[in-house]
Amino acid sequence: MATGIASGSGQLYLREPVYRRSSYGKAHCHSTVILSGMQNQIHWSSWISELLQVDRSNYSQCQVKTNRKSHRGTIKSCQREGSTRYFDFAVIGSGIAGLRYALEVAKHGTVAVITKAEPHESNTNYAQGGVSAVLCPKDSVESHMKDTIVAGAYLCDEETVRVVCTEGPERIRELIAMGASFDHGEDGNLHLAREGGHSHCRIVHAADMTGREIGRALLEAVVKDPNIYVFQHHFAIDLLTTQDGSDIVCHGIDTINTETQEVIRFISKVTLLASGGAGHIYPSTTNPPVATGDGIAMAHRAQAVISNMEFVQFHPTALADEGLPIRPSNARENAFLITEAVRGDGGILYNLDMERFMPSYDERAELAPRDVVARSIDDQLKKRGEEYVLLDISHKPKEKILSHFPNIAAECLRYGLDITQQPIPVVPAAHYMCGGVRAGLEGETNVRGLYVAGEVACTGLHGANRLASNSLAEALVFARRAVQPSIDHMNISKIDHSASNWWPRPVAPLLLGDTVLNKVIRRTREARKELQSIMWEYVGIVRSTSRLTLAETRIIELELKWERYLFQHGWEPTMVGLEACEMRNLFCCAKLVVSSALSRHESRGLHYTIDFPHVEESKRLPTVIFPSQLNSSWSSRQLHKQQIC
């Protein structure tokens, strides 16, 4: 099979590449990392359409296999043949991006929303702060753009930034029209908060549960839509792709129903990947348990281009359970987020001696961008040998605190802490992937029929560091922008009911028996903890070349050791189970992060290395990862063999 990105990938307009290296060295190389020299010459969005070779007028050149059962137009209902489902659109993920997209494309065809757990369980549900949008007469698109680019350490694509900052307000109005309820001030207008890195009040919010409110409104609309079918507890395994000449084409997705262990295949004309991030490559993350990098890993295995994976955002203020009066009885699956809005509302950071420290690190103090605040806290903890710092909002009126942050107040009170009287113990935790599957201005990827939106995508908006509350805005804008090209693609595509037989089917490992399965699961959980420990120890907030190199070696060794254990116990490469497949995705994403970090010989935004502590203008370039033909590990190759059209 052909595993290169495209036959012409050597001429992907990467003029004067600054750096090229083998990702994992020797026999373990899986991809090529390039610091692209295009950034200083033309816009990301202009280049990306050429790089990704997306030209809608040429879609007809790649005809999917057809037979007499194939038909154009929409599939009128959810068609099912055994364990295969046929849809016009398949959406992987039930967060803000996936649901918003589904509601639009459902006007033109049938939609499968495939979600790993319950539909509400996504990063959107845990987004506290709000959505950034220019809705105040004193604010401007130019000001929002400037704040975004400054926070992104000047690695943002200006055209992408302008698109999001310009179209964001209309996306907010659409949410309100759909029934989303946001906070209003005494004057009857939307209450706009301010967060770190923003020069104006522009954060639309619903107290400190904004994501939950948006998710509620979207899910209610989805449930009412007769063209949308939600498949919960369906874990996405791999994208179904074929190769047509130099083009990779996506035809759907394989999943496993984690409640019944049945493998379900979805054949679709268009697929949207909106599966969120990969926070669980680290031991402490604000992300929900479902955020194991599945979308990024699947796209990488399907030969999609990946970009900027070195930029992992650590939220500076997650609740530090060690500092609570009453410690939680059980370890949390994900850290509890203390929203940026607390600092935006006047919260002050202190060390344990109640010394305010942020002014000594940055003139913006607590309102500095997240990367600055997280590094400052990390420095304080290491210098003082302490486990957490304190975030104090208690000097504000009690009624204001409780009205703005009811969820945080209630969570802290469960453990004996009254935030209206006491400071909150906080510590940085992995929070957001600024990198991901590379996308153009319409969410297109280099894989035909595959679009991306939300945290799984790298659109160029965030650059080297995401500005607070820009993520929900980006998800809304790109979910909407992907709609028309998706409809266009659907209209010239065909569904072949024999397509389900083009790829061998994955199988659940039930034949191994409970004893062996329990051993495999136990070893997988141990490997997961080991991987997370390596990532925190060597690929955290402050990095070095030697530590990154050591991480690279240890991750490869751990992965091969884990795979060897599975296969020695009867596991086959086509076997699939939730924990094993999550583990292969975590390995894949961890290697992408380390490889990208090693390729950047400067400190920019979220990537800080003591070996190259300064920003280098000549290296103001995105990293680009192309899949290679040396896919030697299970985590880096698709379970099935690609078929050729």
Side-chain angles (χ1 to χ4, degrees):
M1 68 177 177
T3 56
I5 192 67
S7 60
S9 60
Q11 300 175 9
L12 292 176
Y13 305 96
L14 299 176
R15 303 173 195 166
E16 302 176 7
V18 173
Y19 190 84
R20 183 187 295 261
R21 69 183 294 278
S22 168
S23 295
Y24 312 119
K26 299 181 181 179
H28 305 296
C29 174
H30 304 297
S31 57
T32 300
V33 180
I34 298 174
L35 280 175
S36 161
M38 278 303 299
Q39 186 73 3
N40 293 330
Q41 298 175 51
I42 59 173
H43 287 301
W44 166 306
S45 50
S46 302
W47 169 49
I48 200 72
S49 290
E50 296 179 89
L51 169 66
L52 303 185
Q53 298 187 342
V54 174
D55 180 356
R56 294 208 301 275
S57 65
N58 289 332
Y59 277 161
S60 59
Q61 294 176 5
C62 180
Q63 294 295 331
V64 179
K65 286 182 180 178
T66 61
N67 64 17
R68 62 184 179 180
K69 294 182 180 179
S70 301
H71 60 278
R72 292 186 184 272
T74 62
I75 299 172
K76 297 303 181 183
S77 62
C78 171
Q79 295 186 0
R80 172 175 178 171
E81 292 180 1
S83 57
T84 301
R85 313 287 185 270
Y86 297 88
F87 285 89
D88 293 307
F89 305 93
V91 178
I92 305 169
S94 59
I96 185 174
L99 296 182
R100 188 67 191 91
Y101 172 90
L103 287 166
E104 290 299 320
V105 296
K107 300 170 185 176
H108 303 271
T110 56
V111 186
V113 174
I114 301 160
T115 186
K116 188 172 176 179
E118 288 77 24
H120 68 270
E121 186 69 0
S122 67
N123 278 355
T124 297
N125 189 53
Y126 292 83
Q128 294 179 352
V131 191
S132 60
V134 177
L135 293 166
C136 174
K138 297 180 180 179
D139 198 1
S140 67
V141 168
E142 288 70 26
S143 178
H144 192 183
M145 288 181 62
K146 180 180 178 181
D147 292 344
T148 298
I149 292 169
V150 169
Y154 297 92
L155 195 61
C156 310
D157 172 64
E158 185 174 343
E159 188 173 357
T160 303
V161 174
R162 182 174 296 280
V163 161
V164 174
C165 294
T166 301
E167 298 179 10
E170 183 58 29
R171 302 289 83 83
I172 297 295
R173 296 184 186 100
E174 289 173 352
L175 285 178
I176 294 172
M178 292 172 59
S181 179
F182 300 112
D183 291 351
H184 288 70
E186 295 179 359
D187 60 1
N189 294 320
L190 285 171
H191 181 272
L192 303 175
R194 184 182 175 191
E195 296 180 352
H198 289 273
S199 58
H200 290 77
C201 295
R202 62 169 71 101
I203 312 303
V204 179
H205 60 95
D208 57 352
M209 296 171 283
T210 308
R212 191 178 304 177
E213 172 58 19
I214 293 173
R216 178 203 62 78
L218 292 174
L219 277 171
E220 284 188 4
V222 162
V223 169
K224 295 175 183 176
D225 195 308
N227 258 8
I228 301 177
Y229 300 76
V230 178
F231 295 85
Q232 61 183 5
H233 301 291
H234 280 58
F235 174 69
I237 301 165
D238 261 331
L239 296 168
L240 300 170
T241 60
T242 59
Q243 185 158 349
D244 177 38
S246 62
D247 292 324
I248 305 298
V249 187
C250 182
H251 305 283
I253 186 80
D254 269 341
T255 73
I256 183 169
N257 183 324
T258 55
E259 293 188 321
T260 66
Q261 301 305 304
E262 182 183 10
V263 173
I264 306 295
R265 175 162 287 173
F266 290 85
I267 302 296
S268 59
K269 297 177 182 177
V270 179
T271 301
L272 177 80
L273 196 55
S275 53
H280 281 272
I281 59 176
Y282 291 94
S284 178
T285 176
T286 61
N287 294 180
V290 294
T292 52
D294 309 319
I296 295 172
M298 285 190 297
H300 178 62
R301 291 193 289 266
Q303 304 186 46
V305 177
I306 310 295
S307 190
N308 285 357
M309 287 294 287
E310 68 270 36
F311 300 120
V312 181
Q313 186 174 80
F314 290 84
H315 199 290
T317 56
L319 185 63
D321 290 346
E322 296 81 2
L324 292 170
I326 303 171
R327 294 278 293 274
S329 56
N330 298 313
R332 298 178 191 265
E333 289 185 305
N334 53 290
F336 184 80
L337 178 65
I338 306 298
T339 173
E340 190 96 10
V342 173
R343 285 184 287 118
D345 224 24
I348 298 173
L349 285 164
Y350 298 97
N351 58 35
L352 297 191
D353 286 334
M354 292 307 292
E355 298 169 340
R356 187 182 184 189
F357 57 84
M358 276 309 302
S360 64
Y361 290 96
D362 193 283
E363 62 182 10
R364 294 164 291 185
E366 283 79 11
L367 291 179
R370 290 177 176 178
D371 60 324
V372 175
V373 180
R375 277 198 303 275
S376 302
I377 293 175
D378 184 69
D379 187 58
Q380 282 284 304
L381 298 180
K382 289 174 178 175
K383 283 180 177 178
R384 297 174 58 85
E386 295 169 348
E387 293 184 305
Y388 55 88
V389 297
L390 300 170
L391 176 60
D392 190 21
I393 192 70
S394 64
H395 52 280
K396 293 291 183 177
K398 180 176 181 178
E399 60 276 8
K400 183 176 181 180
I401 296 172
L402 295 179
S403 65
H404 285 190
F405 311 112
N407 189 41
I408 293 173
E411 180 68 14
C412 290
L413 200 57
R414 286 178 60 196
Y415 303 104
L417 184 75
D418 181 357
I419 69 171
T420 68
Q421 301 291 327
Q422 301 164 278
I424 308 167
V426 294
V427 67
H431 182 60
Y432 191 88
M433 302 296 297
C434 289
V437 184
R438 195 143 189 181
L441 277 176
E442 293 181 319
E444 71 271 30
T445 72
N446 62 296
V447 178
R448 283 186 191 271
L450 178 66
Y451 297 82
V452 290
E455 189 174 351
V456 71
C458 183
T459 66
L461 174 69
H462 306 308
N465 177 39
R466 176 175 69 87
L467 180 64
S469 291
N470 266 3
S471 54
L472 294 182
E474 178 198 36
L476 287 168
V477 168
F478 275 87
R480 192 67 182 82
R481 282 186 146 254
V483 169
Q484 190 55 52
S486 296
I487 295 167
D488 293 345
H489 186 81
M490 183 208 72
N491 285 335
I492 55 89
S493 297
K494 299 178 181 179
I495 285 286
D496 186 338
H497 284 240
S498 71
S500 182
N501 300 318
W502 294 356
W503 307 270
R505 285 185 180 269
V507 294
L510 302 178
L511 293 177
L512 296 182
D514 290 343
T515 300
V516 171
L517 280 177
N518 289 335
K519 288 182 179 180
V520 166
I521 290 173
R522 185 167 57 250
R523 180 67 191 100
T524 299
R525 290 174 180 173
E526 292 171 355
R528 181 165 172 160
K529 288 182 179 179
E530 287 183 61
L531 175 67
Q532 291 171 334
S533 177
I534 292 168
M535 291 297 291
W536 178 248
E537 182 73 19
Y538 302 112
V539 201
I541 296 172
V542 176
R543 302 163 176 174
S544 70
T545 301
S546 62
R547 295 172 75 79
L548 288 170
T549 302
L550 181 58
E552 184 174 59
T553 301
R554 290 191 58 185
I555 290 170
I556 291 169
E557 291 173 349
L558 177 63
E559 179 185 28
L560 295 179
K561 183 179 178 181
W562 172 72
E563 289 184 5
R564 193 179 306 118
Y565 183 91
L566 262 62
F567 297 139
Q568 286 175 347
H569 284 77
W571 196 274
E572 298 290 339
T574 55
M575 286 183 175
V576 292
L578 174 63
E579 296 196 55
C581 286
E582 281 186 336
M583 190 69 245
R584 70 196 289 256
N585 293 338
L586 290 168
F587 272 125
C588 183
C589 288
K591 291 186 295 186
L592 293 173
V593 170
V594 174
S595 179
S596 298
L598 276 168
S599 72
R600 184 166 294 281
H601 291 178
E602 64 163 350
S603 288
R604 184 181 295 274
L606 298 164
H607 174 70
Y608 182 84
T609 170
I610 60 175
D611 296 305
F612 307 98
H614 304 295
V615 174
E616 297 288 344
E617 181 59 23
S618 64
K619 293 178 171 54
R620 185 166 62 88
L621 313 162
T623 47
V624 181
I625 300 176
F626 297 107
S628 83
Q629 298 182 6
L630 299 178
N631 295 326
S632 61
S633 71
W634 190 44
S635 73
S636 299
R637 62 178 182 264
Q638 291 172 297
L639 297 184
H640 54 70
K641 183 179 180 180
Q642 286 185 347
Q643 303 297 305
I644 306 299
C645 291

